[in-house]
Amino acid sequence: MNSTGSNIAADAFRRLHGAAPAGVWSAPGRVNLIGEHTDYNDGFVLPFAIPHRTWVAASPREDGVITLASVQDGQVEVAEPVRLAELEPGTAQGWVAYPAGVAWVLRQQGVGGGADLVVAGDVPRGAGLSSSHSLEVATALALLGLSGADPSKSDIAKWVQQAENDFVGAPTGLLDQTASLCCTDAHVLFLDVRSGRQEQVPFDAGAHGLEVLVIDTRVSHSLVESGYGERRRGCERAADVLGVASLREAAGEEGLPDELRPLARHVITENERVLKTVELLKQERYAEIGPLLSASHASLRDDYRVSCVELDVAAEAAEKAGALGARMIGGGFGGSAIALVPRELRERVETGVAEAFAAQGFGSPRMFAAVPSAGAGRDV
């Protein structure tokens, strides 16, 4: 794990509180290789953790108060303290809502307590790389660690989901928090959301002369304010019309009204693409997953309708410059795309994307190679 980020959080804690923290916990952001908007439909997903993380330095308090501070550009910004007993949805705003929501859920579970928390991180915000879940998971591990509780990762993932859904107000599924908790170095996590079954699938793109290039469009999005919830409700309606528990069980979209057919078609075909991708990776046929990534983007753009012009330009420009496949990732409506790129073509792809953005009058995208990394844990 990156000791620099841990040190930044611990040093800021010392400056603010006059003593070393009891510990530092961290959690990564994630890239979802394929399997978008399938998690809340009981489907299949295939994420991996990225090196970018959120660190939480923490010590316990005995007065039922949570103090929160964040390191921003070397400066420590202190938020208003919150009292555990007074926490309810709507009582915390902005970034504070994410750790406060976790504390609220843990209080309901009878674990956790007051704490001083100092946060540092380098997961790009609003980029579709799950910075909010990285913060929530790191906070959960810190509060649980301070209390001596040791629940299962599946329980922690469900509690973080509850914080996101019921406190923050974003109707997300289980993909992001499970990825942050459970991913491992050099693997993608094949997760069957319905059963909870996990399989670590080796994924060493570099050994095959390939890189997964992240293209952060720098277009901010919010899953609370976007059409994410509308899509999720549409999937629930489609499952109800089809008489199945979720679209995981749907065999097709026949019988659905016109406005629901594309949603079901995306979920059904995306689950199939995940399974095909896993099969190809196990056979070390890495280059052949490219067309599946591109098909996923087309489905998200045309059927699920969660893309945007910046994401479409990123994917198209990357492929035109030599990427084997590209697609948007995350909830959509902005954020990032990924491209599977032969290593020797990375510079050409980056140049092609940058030029395409400039031609459209967009701001410069941020681009970096994503390497499967370790999941969440205690650093110090």
Side-chain angles (χ1 to χ4, degrees), residues 43-339:
F44 304 109
V45 294
L46 197 63
F48 63 88
I50 59 176
H52 302 72
R53 303 178 77 85
T54 300
W55 292 267
V56 174
S59 286
R61 294 176 64 102
E62 302 299 327
D63 57 1
V65 170
I66 301 283
T67 71
L68 293 157
S70 174
V71 183
Q72 302 289 338
D73 298 322
Q75 302 298 312
V76 180
E77 299 181 6
V78 180
E80 286 293 321
V82 296
R83 288 194 168 274
L84 276 173
E86 298 172 1
L87 277 178
E88 295 294 342
T91 57
Q93 304 299 322
W95 75 270
V96 171
Y98 296 97
V102 171
W104 174 72
V105 171
L106 294 183
R107 185 191 73 191
Q108 294 177 333
Q109 300 297 326
V111 294
D116 294 318
L117 306 177
V118 175
V119 177
D122 60 6
V123 183
R125 295 181 183 178
L129 301 172
S130 199
S131 60
S132 63
H133 281 99
S134 173
L135 170 58
E136 288 169 321
V137 169
T139 300
L141 293 184
L143 293 176
L144 291 166
L146 294 177
S147 69
D150 188 25
S152 68
K153 290 181 179 180
S154 62
D155 282 339
I156 298 172
K158 291 174 184 176
W159 294 340
V160 171
Q161 182 190 27
Q162 185 182 348
E164 186 92 358
N165 292 175
D166 299 342
F167 195 92
V168 178
T172 55
L174 276 168
L175 162 63
D176 294 339
Q177 53 275 76
T178 303
S180 189
L181 283 160
C182 300
C183 284
T184 62
D185 281 315
H187 291 78
V188 285
L189 176 68
F190 178 39
L191 172 64
D192 179 341
V193 176
R194 182 176 64 182
S195 69
R197 185 179 71 85
Q198 300 181 14
E199 181 181 356
Q200 301 289 347
V201 179
F203 183 58
D204 186 356
H208 295 261
L210 301 171
E211 293 184 346
V212 177
L213 182 67
V214 175
I215 306 165
D216 176 8
T217 67
R218 300 183 189 262
V219 178
S220 263
H221 70 290
S222 168
L223 298 187
V224 178
E225 299 169 358
S226 72
Y228 183 100
E230 178 187 343
R231 302 300 189 280
R232 181 166 183 169
R233 290 188 292 274
C235 289
E236 292 169 350
R237 285 172 51 214
D240 186 60
V241 170
L242 293 171
V244 293
S246 70
L247 289 180
R248 163 69 174 271
E249 284 78 36
E253 68 264 24
E254 293 79 8
L256 289 173
D258 289 345
E259 70 272 15
L260 297 181
R261 285 183 182 177
L263 299 181
R265 183 163 56 244
H266 167 72
V267 174
I268 293 167
T269 58
E270 187 78 346
N271 278 325
E272 293 171 353
R273 284 186 286 270
V274 174
L275 295 176
K276 290 177 182 177
T277 299
V278 171
E279 181 181 348
L280 289 171
L281 292 182
K282 288 181 176 180
Q283 297 172 9
E284 298 193 14
R285 295 159 61 187
Y286 282 44
E288 295 179 46
I289 72 172
L292 294 170
L293 303 184
S294 298
S296 174
H297 183 80
S299 181
L300 289 159
R301 180 192 64 213
D302 301 334
D303 283 342
Y304 221 71
R305 303 183 303 280
V306 291
S307 190
C308 64
V309 62
E310 293 87 354
L311 289 168
D312 294 341
V313 168
E316 181 179 353
E319 291 182 357
K320 186 176 180 180
L324 302 179
R327 73 176 197 91
M328 59 152 282
I329 60 171
F333 309 101
S336 297
I338 58 170

